[in-house]
C-alpha cells in the first residue's frame, strides 16, 4: 500500500465543488473509501424529527466526507495548493511540498 500523502492534522485547500478555495484542517482520513473529512468544509444538514432523545428536533449540521482527490495539501510557505513528494532526509522519509520544496512534517 502506498504511503498516505494527506494525513490527519494537515492543512488542505479544496480544489473543486461548492467549497472551492476554502482551507481547513483534516479531521479524519478514510483511505479505504478514498474520502476525507475537513473541519468547516462540506457542511451537510440533516433535518431531524423530535424524538425522546432529542425532543426539540431541528437541523443537525456536520462535516460530510469528501473525495481525497478534491483537496490538495496547502504549501507551508504561502498556503496555496501543492502536490506532495517523498524524500529521504537524515535517513527518514519525509513529505515535501513540490512547489516550494518545504518539508511538510518532521
Amino acid at each position: 500500500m502506498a504511503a498516505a500523502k494527506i494525513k490527519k492534522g494537515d492543512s488542505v485547500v479544496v480544489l473543486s465543488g461548492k467549497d472551492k478555495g476554502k482551507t481547513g484542517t483534516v479531521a479524519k482520513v478514510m483511505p479505504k473509501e478514498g474520502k476525507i473529512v475537513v473541519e468547516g468544509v462540506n457542511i451537510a444538514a440533516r433535518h431531524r424529527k423530535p424524538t425522546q432523545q432529542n425532543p426539540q428536533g431541528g437541523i443537525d449540521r456536520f462535516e460530510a466526507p469528501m473525495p481525497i482527490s478534491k483537496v490538495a495539501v496547502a504549501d507551508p510557505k504561502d498556503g496555496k495548493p501543492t502536490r506532495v513528494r517523498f524524500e529521504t532526509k537524515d535517513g527518514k522519509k519525509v513529505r515535501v511540498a513540490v512547489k516550494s520544496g518545504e518539508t511538510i512534517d518532521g
Side-chain angles (χ1 to χ4, degrees):
M1 189 177 211
K5 295 193 176 186
I6 298 177
K7 295 181 179 180
K8 182 179 176 181
D10 283 352
S11 181
V12 294
V13 180
V14 180
L15 301 175
S16 65
K18 65 179 182 180
D19 295 318
K20 181 178 179 176
K22 285 188 180 177
T23 58
T25 307
V26 176
K28 186 177 182 183
V29 179
M30 297 172 268
K32 284 189 178 167
E33 292 94 40
K35 296 197 181 256
I36 195 168
V37 176
V38 182
E39 292 173 6
V41 176
N42 197 29
I43 303 295
R46 194 60 83 234
H47 292 70
R48 301 284 186 195
K49 282 176 139 177
T51 62
Q52 284 189 334
Q53 290 84 19
N54 183 12
Q56 187 65 36
I59 302 171
D60 286 345
R61 297 186 194 286
F62 58 95
E63 290 116 1
M66 62 191 303
I68 291 178
S69 60
K70 286 188 175 260
V71 299
V73 176
D75 196 316
K77 212 170 212 178
D78 59 6
K80 292 183 180 174
T82 182
R83 295 189 313 277
V84 175
R85 72 168 168 252
F86 291 95
E87 290 181 2
T88 307
K89 291 186 180 175
D90 303 325
K92 285 183 88 176
K93 187 175 176 183
V94 294
R95 295 182 301 155
V96 176
V98 172
K99 272 189 180 175
S100 65
E102 296 275 319
T103 303
I104 294 173
D105 56 347

